[in-house]
Amino acid sequence: MKVGAVIITMGNRPEELRALLDSVAKQDGDRVEVVVVGNGSPVPDVPDGVRTIELPENLGIPGGRNVGIEAFGPSGRDVDILLFLDDDGLLAGHDTAELCRQAFAADPQLGIISFRIADPETGITQRRHVPRLRAADPMRSSRVTTFLGGANAVRTQVFAEVGGLPDEFFYAHEETDLAWRALDAGWMIDYRSDMVLYHPTTAPSRHAVYHRMVARNRVWLARRNLPALLVPVYLGVWMLLTLVRRPSRPALRAWFGGFREGWTTACGPRKPMKWRTVWRLTRLGRPPVI
Protein backbone atom coordinates (compact mmCIF):
# COMPACT_ATOMS: atom_id res chain seq x y z
CA MET A 1 0.00 0.00 0.00
CA LYS A 2 1.31 3.45 -0.94
CA VAL A 3 1.81 5.83 1.97
CA GLY A 4 2.00 9.61 1.90
CA ALA A 5 2.30 12.21 4.64
CA VAL A 6 0.81 15.68 5.09
CA ILE A 7 2.49 18.19 7.40
CA ILE A 8 1.26 21.75 7.85
CA THR A 9 3.55 24.41 9.25
CA MET A 10 3.53 28.08 10.17
CA GLY A 11 7.23 28.19 9.37
CA ASN A 12 8.25 28.89 12.97
CA ARG A 13 9.69 25.47 13.85
CA PRO A 14 12.36 24.80 11.22
CA GLU A 15 14.51 22.53 13.40
CA GLU A 16 11.57 20.45 14.63
CA LEU A 17 10.19 20.18 11.10
CA ARG A 18 13.54 18.94 9.79
CA ALA A 19 13.75 16.33 12.56
CA LEU A 20 10.23 15.13 11.76
CA LEU A 21 11.02 14.86 8.06
CA ASP A 22 14.16 12.86 8.89
CA SER A 23 12.06 10.46 11.00
CA VAL A 24 9.63 10.00 8.09
CA ALA A 25 12.49 9.38 5.67
CA LYS A 26 13.79 6.59 7.94
CA GLN A 27 10.55 4.59 7.81
CA ASP A 28 10.88 0.94 6.81
CA GLY A 29 9.51 -0.26 3.49
CA ASP A 30 8.72 1.84 0.44
CA ARG A 31 9.42 5.55 0.58
CA VAL A 32 6.77 7.77 2.17
CA GLU A 33 6.03 10.69 -0.13
CA VAL A 34 5.70 13.93 1.86
CA VAL A 35 3.90 17.21 1.24
CA VAL A 36 4.59 20.18 3.55
CA VAL A 37 1.97 22.94 3.46
CA GLY A 38 3.00 26.42 4.55
CA ASN A 39 -0.24 27.67 6.10
CA GLY A 40 -0.01 31.36 5.30
CA SER A 41 3.76 31.35 5.67
CA PRO A 42 6.89 30.33 3.74
CA VAL A 43 8.06 26.75 4.18
CA PRO A 44 11.54 26.42 5.76
CA ASP A 45 14.25 24.53 3.89
CA VAL A 46 13.31 20.87 3.46
CA PRO A 47 15.24 17.87 2.09
CA ASP A 48 15.23 17.07 -1.62
CA GLY A 49 12.18 15.10 -2.68
CA VAL A 50 9.81 16.74 -0.20
CA ARG A 51 7.07 18.68 -1.99
CA THR A 52 6.00 22.05 -0.62
CA ILE A 53 2.92 24.24 -1.01
CA GLU A 54 2.86 27.82 0.29
CA LEU A 55 -0.62 29.23 0.91
CA PRO A 56 -1.08 33.02 0.78
CA GLU A 57 -3.23 32.94 3.93
CA ASN A 58 -3.72 30.74 6.97
CA LEU A 59 -6.64 28.42 6.20
CA GLY A 60 -6.62 26.87 9.65
CA ILE A 61 -5.72 23.31 10.53
CA PRO A 62 -8.46 21.51 8.56
CA GLY A 63 -8.11 23.84 5.56
CA GLY A 64 -4.35 23.37 5.42
CA ARG A 65 -4.63 19.61 5.73
CA ASN A 66 -7.27 19.48 3.01
CA VAL A 67 -4.87 21.23 0.66
CA GLY A 68 -2.28 18.58 1.53
CA ILE A 69 -4.77 15.80 0.81
CA GLU A 70 -5.56 17.20 -2.63
CA ALA A 71 -1.83 17.41 -3.41
CA PHE A 72 -2.02 13.62 -3.71
CA GLY A 73 -4.82 13.82 -6.28
CA PRO A 74 -8.57 14.20 -5.69
CA SER A 75 -9.29 12.91 -2.17
CA GLY A 76 -5.65 11.75 -2.00
CA ARG A 77 -6.26 8.89 -4.46
CA ASP A 78 -2.61 8.73 -5.61
CA VAL A 79 -1.80 6.95 -2.33
CA ASP A 80 -3.67 4.42 -0.20
CA ILE A 81 -2.82 5.86 3.22
CA LEU A 82 -2.08 9.40 4.40
CA LEU A 83 -0.23 10.19 7.63
CA PHE A 84 -1.03 13.52 9.30
CA LEU A 85 1.77 14.70 11.58
CA ASP A 86 2.30 17.84 13.68
CA ASP A 87 5.38 19.75 12.55
CA ASP A 88 6.86 19.68 16.06
CA GLY A 89 6.35 15.93 16.40
CA LEU A 90 8.74 13.05 15.73
CA LEU A 91 7.99 9.46 14.76
CA ALA A 92 9.47 7.36 17.55
CA GLY A 93 10.02 4.18 15.52
CA HIS A 94 11.10 3.24 12.01
CA ASP A 95 8.18 0.83 11.61
CA THR A 96 5.18 3.17 11.92
CA ALA A 97 4.43 3.33 8.18
CA GLU A 98 4.84 -0.43 7.86
CA LEU A 99 2.55 -1.05 10.85
CA CYS A 100 -0.05 1.15 9.16
CA ARG A 101 0.21 -0.84 5.93
CA GLN A 102 -0.23 -4.09 7.84
CA ALA A 103 -3.18 -2.80 9.87
CA PHE A 104 -5.13 -1.45 6.90
CA ALA A 105 -4.39 -4.51 4.79
CA ALA A 106 -5.55 -6.87 7.54
CA ASP A 107 -8.82 -5.04 8.30
CA PRO A 108 -10.84 -3.79 5.30
CA GLN A 109 -13.22 -1.94 7.64
CA LEU A 110 -10.43 0.05 9.29
CA GLY A 111 -10.53 3.65 8.07
CA ILE A 112 -8.48 5.66 10.58
CA ILE A 113 -5.66 4.96 13.04
CA SER A 114 -4.91 7.29 15.94
CA PHE A 115 -1.30 7.16 17.17
CA ARG A 116 -0.19 7.46 20.77
CA ILE A 117 1.40 10.82 21.59
CA ALA A 118 4.19 10.74 24.16
CA ASP A 119 6.43 13.40 25.63
CA PRO A 120 9.96 12.87 24.23
CA GLU A 121 11.62 13.42 27.60
CA THR A 122 9.29 11.70 30.05
CA GLY A 123 7.50 9.24 27.76
CA ILE A 124 4.22 10.28 29.42
CA THR A 125 1.02 10.32 27.38
CA GLN A 126 -1.43 13.00 28.50
CA ARG A 127 -4.91 11.74 29.31
CA ARG A 128 -6.44 14.08 26.70
CA HIS A 129 -4.35 12.35 24.04
CA VAL A 130 -6.10 9.01 24.54
CA PRO A 131 -9.24 9.32 22.38
CA ARG A 132 -11.71 7.49 24.62
CA LEU A 133 -13.45 8.04 27.96
CA ARG A 134 -11.54 5.25 29.74
CA ALA A 135 -8.15 6.86 29.24
CA ALA A 136 -6.29 5.78 32.38
CA ASP A 137 -4.16 3.23 30.50
CA PRO A 138 -2.63 4.81 27.38
CA MET A 139 -0.82 1.54 26.59
CA ARG A 140 -4.09 -0.24 25.81
CA SER A 141 -5.01 -0.22 22.14
CA SER A 142 -8.71 -0.28 21.28
CA ARG A 143 -11.47 0.68 18.90
CA VAL A 144 -12.37 4.34 19.45
CA THR A 145 -14.81 6.95 18.17
CA THR A 146 -12.43 9.80 17.32
CA PHE A 147 -8.72 10.39 16.71
CA LEU A 148 -5.85 12.82 17.25
CA GLY A 149 -5.44 15.36 14.47
CA GLY A 150 -1.65 15.65 14.40
CA ALA A 151 -0.80 11.97 14.84
CA ASN A 152 -2.87 9.69 12.68
CA ALA A 153 -3.21 7.69 9.49
CA VAL A 154 -6.28 7.70 7.23
CA ARG A 155 -7.19 5.34 4.41
CA THR A 156 -7.74 7.72 1.50
CA GLN A 157 -10.86 5.84 0.47
CA VAL A 158 -12.48 7.43 3.54
CA PHE A 159 -11.99 10.91 2.05
CA ALA A 160 -13.39 9.72 -1.28
CA GLU A 161 -16.54 8.49 0.47
CA VAL A 162 -17.25 11.10 3.15
CA GLY A 163 -15.20 14.14 2.15
CA GLY A 164 -12.33 15.89 3.89
CA LEU A 165 -12.04 17.86 7.09
CA PRO A 166 -14.49 20.75 7.65
CA ASP A 167 -12.66 23.89 6.47
CA GLU A 168 -14.95 26.23 8.37
CA PHE A 169 -13.92 24.82 11.77
CA PHE A 170 -10.40 26.35 11.41
CA TYR A 171 -9.31 24.84 14.74
CA ALA A 172 -10.86 22.34 17.19
CA HIS A 173 -13.16 19.32 16.77
CA GLU A 174 -12.51 18.88 13.05
CA GLU A 175 -11.23 15.34 13.72
CA THR A 176 -14.43 14.31 15.51
CA ASP A 177 -16.51 15.68 12.64
CA LEU A 178 -14.61 13.48 10.18
CA ALA A 179 -14.66 10.53 12.60
CA TRP A 180 -18.44 10.64 12.99
CA ARG A 181 -18.95 10.84 9.24
CA ALA A 182 -16.56 7.92 8.71
CA LEU A 183 -18.29 5.80 11.36
CA ASP A 184 -21.66 6.63 9.82
CA ALA A 185 -20.33 5.32 6.48
CA GLY A 186 -19.31 2.01 8.10
CA TRP A 187 -15.61 2.62 8.76
CA MET A 188 -13.88 1.85 12.06
CA ILE A 189 -11.22 3.76 14.02
CA ASP A 190 -8.38 2.25 16.06
CA TYR A 191 -6.19 3.77 18.74
CA ARG A 192 -2.77 2.08 18.55
CA SER A 193 -0.41 2.49 21.49
CA ASP A 194 2.47 0.93 19.55
CA MET A 195 2.47 3.69 16.92
CA VAL A 196 4.08 6.63 18.70
CA LEU A 197 4.61 10.26 17.85
CA TYR A 198 6.89 12.12 20.23
CA HIS A 199 5.48 15.57 20.98
CA PRO A 200 6.30 18.05 23.77
CA THR A 201 3.68 18.25 26.51
CA THR A 202 1.47 21.28 25.93
CA ALA A 203 -1.88 22.69 27.03
CA PRO A 204 -4.50 23.32 24.33
CA SER A 205 -5.55 26.51 26.11
CA ARG A 206 -2.24 28.08 25.03
CA HIS A 207 -4.06 29.19 21.87
CA ALA A 208 -5.76 32.58 22.31
CA VAL A 209 -8.85 31.41 20.41
CA TYR A 210 -9.14 28.10 22.24
CA HIS A 211 -12.22 28.69 24.41
CA ARG A 212 -14.24 30.46 21.72
CA MET A 213 -13.53 27.96 18.96
CA VAL A 214 -13.96 24.90 21.17
CA ALA A 215 -17.46 26.12 22.08
CA ARG A 216 -18.43 27.33 18.60
CA ASN A 217 -17.23 24.17 16.88
CA ARG A 218 -18.90 21.96 19.49
CA VAL A 219 -22.23 23.49 18.47
CA TRP A 220 -21.38 23.16 14.78
CA LEU A 221 -20.38 19.54 15.31
CA ALA A 222 -23.76 18.75 16.85
CA ARG A 223 -25.77 20.74 14.31
CA ARG A 224 -24.00 19.04 11.40
CA ASN A 225 -23.97 15.46 12.59
CA LEU A 226 -26.39 14.54 15.36
CA PRO A 227 -30.05 13.53 15.11
CA ALA A 228 -32.17 16.51 16.19
CA LEU A 229 -33.22 14.78 19.41
CA LEU A 230 -29.62 14.47 20.61
CA VAL A 231 -28.41 18.00 19.79
CA PRO A 232 -29.71 19.68 22.99
CA VAL A 233 -28.66 16.69 25.13
CA TYR A 234 -25.09 16.69 23.77
CA LEU A 235 -24.67 20.45 24.10
CA GLY A 236 -26.33 20.55 27.52
CA VAL A 237 -23.92 17.94 28.85
CA TRP A 238 -20.93 19.87 27.52
CA MET A 239 -22.17 23.13 29.00
CA LEU A 240 -22.51 21.43 32.38
CA LEU A 241 -19.02 19.93 32.12
CA THR A 242 -17.58 23.32 31.23
CA LEU A 243 -19.17 24.94 34.29
CA VAL A 244 -18.00 22.10 36.57
CA ARG A 245 -14.42 22.66 35.41
CA ARG A 246 -14.68 26.26 36.66
CA PRO A 247 -12.70 28.11 33.99
CA SER A 248 -11.61 31.69 34.62
CA ARG A 249 -14.11 34.48 34.04
CA PRO A 250 -12.47 35.63 30.74
CA ALA A 251 -12.33 32.01 29.53
CA LEU A 252 -15.99 31.44 30.40
CA ARG A 253 -16.97 34.68 28.68
CA ALA A 254 -15.11 33.57 25.54
CA TRP A 255 -16.73 30.12 25.76
CA PHE A 256 -20.27 31.49 25.94
CA GLY A 257 -19.48 33.88 23.10
CA GLY A 258 -18.36 30.94 20.98
CA PHE A 259 -21.45 28.95 22.02
CA ARG A 260 -23.72 31.75 20.79
CA GLU A 261 -21.68 32.06 17.60
CA GLY A 262 -22.19 28.36 16.96
CA TRP A 263 -25.96 28.88 16.84
CA THR A 264 -25.99 32.12 14.85
CA THR A 265 -23.49 31.28 12.08
CA ALA A 266 -23.50 28.78 9.22
CA CYS A 267 -21.98 25.43 10.15
CA GLY A 268 -21.80 23.82 6.71
CA PRO A 269 -23.98 21.00 5.37
CA ARG A 270 -26.10 19.01 7.83
CA LYS A 271 -26.21 15.25 7.49
CA PRO A 272 -27.39 13.64 10.74
CA MET A 273 -25.92 10.26 11.50
CA LYS A 274 -28.10 7.16 11.41
CA TRP A 275 -29.48 5.85 14.70
CA ARG A 276 -27.50 2.65 14.15
CA THR A 277 -24.37 4.82 14.20
CA VAL A 278 -25.52 6.26 17.52
CA TRP A 279 -25.80 2.70 18.79
CA ARG A 280 -22.35 1.84 17.38
CA LEU A 281 -20.81 4.82 19.20
CA THR A 282 -22.56 3.71 22.37
CA ARG A 283 -21.26 0.15 22.06
CA LEU A 284 -17.76 1.55 21.53
CA GLY A 285 -18.04 3.29 24.89
CA ARG A 286 -18.81 6.86 23.89
CA PRO A 287 -22.45 7.62 23.10
CA PRO A 288 -22.74 10.91 21.22
CA VAL A 289 -24.06 12.82 24.20
CA ILE A 290 -20.59 13.34 25.75
Side-chain angles (χ1 to χ4, degrees):
M1 304 181 80
K2 294 181 180 178
V3 180
V6 173
I7 301 165
I8 59 173
T9 183
M10 300 292 290
N12 55 350
R13 300 168 177 154
E15 294 181 4
E16 293 90 339
L17 174 61
R18 188 61 182 246
L20 171 62
L21 292 171
D22 288 345
S23 73
V24 174
K26 293 175 181 176
Q27 292 299 298
D28 299 335
D30 294 338
R31 176 177 172 270
V32 177
E33 185 178 349
V34 181
V35 169
V36 177
V37 179
N39 213 356
S41 66
V43 176
D45 290 338
V46 296
D48 293 340
V50 174
R51 287 190 288 162
T52 62
I53 300 172
E54 294 185 352
L55 302 177
E57 61 178 311
N58 183 354
L59 300 182
I61 294 172
R65 286 182 177 144
N66 283 337
V67 169
I69 293 167
E70 295 300 309
F72 290 92
S75 301
R77 69 183 181 190
D78 294 344
V79 294
D80 303 294
I81 303 164
L82 276 175
L83 311 181
F84 295 88
L85 308 170
D86 276 352
D87 67 342
D88 56 345
L90 184 75
L91 289 174
H94 295 176
D95 60 349
T96 303
E98 189 60 28
L99 288 172
C100 287
R101 292 186 187 98
Q102 293 171 7
F104 285 117
D107 185 353
Q109 284 190 300
L110 181 61
I112 303 172
I113 299 173
S114 189
F115 302 163
R116 180 167 63 89
I117 293 179
D119 185 274
E121 295 184 4
T122 66
I124 293 174
T125 296
Q126 291 180 272
R127 187 181 181 90
R128 69 185 182 90
H129 284 153
V130 182
R132 59 176 179 245
L133 292 180
R134 295 171 180 169
D137 182 7
M139 301 306 295
R140 179 174 66 87
S141 299
S142 69
R143 292 282 203 205
V144 290
T145 61
T146 188
F147 63 99
L148 307 174
N152 67 80
V154 181
R155 192 191 297 265
T156 54
Q157 190 179 343
V158 173
F159 298 127
E161 289 190 16
V162 307
L165 296 156
D167 287 336
E168 50 271 88
F169 279 41
F170 198 84
Y171 163 78
H173 302 318
E174 66 273 6
E175 302 91 358
T176 300
D177 186 88
L178 176 60
W180 283 1
R181 285 183 283 127
L183 288 162
D184 198 47
W187 296 101
M188 301 300 290
I189 306 169
D190 279 355
Y191 166 72
R192 288 282 297 266
S193 64
D194 57 334
M195 302 181 189
V196 180
L197 184 85
Y198 286 143
H199 188 282
T201 298
T202 56
S205 55
R206 70 189 186 279
H207 299 291
V209 297
Y210 171 77
H211 296 286
R212 178 177 71 86
M213 287 198 172
V214 160
R216 182 197 68 181
N217 291 1
R218 183 80 69 184
V219 177
W220 282 358
L221 179 69
R223 289 175 58 196
R224 285 165 59 97
N225 295 287
L226 290 181
L229 185 65
L230 294 184
V231 172
V233 180
Y234 177 81
L235 295 176
V237 168
W238 277 104
M239 180 179 289
L240 179 62
L241 285 174
T242 299
L243 294 174
V244 167
R245 290 168 177 169
R246 303 181 67 180
S248 67
R249 183 168 295 181
L252 194 60
R253 189 181 305 117
W255 191 94
F256 274 107
F259 192 83
R260 286 191 298 271
E261 185 181 348
W263 285 107
T264 59
T265 55
C267 63
R270 171 169 167 78
K271 186 182 178 183
M273 66 177 65
K274 308 174 189 72
W275 281 103
R276 68 168 178 258
T277 305
V278 173
W279 176 237
R280 173 186 285 187
L281 289 162
T282 303
R283 286 191 292 111
L284 288 170
R286 190 156 196 163
V289 293
I290 188 169

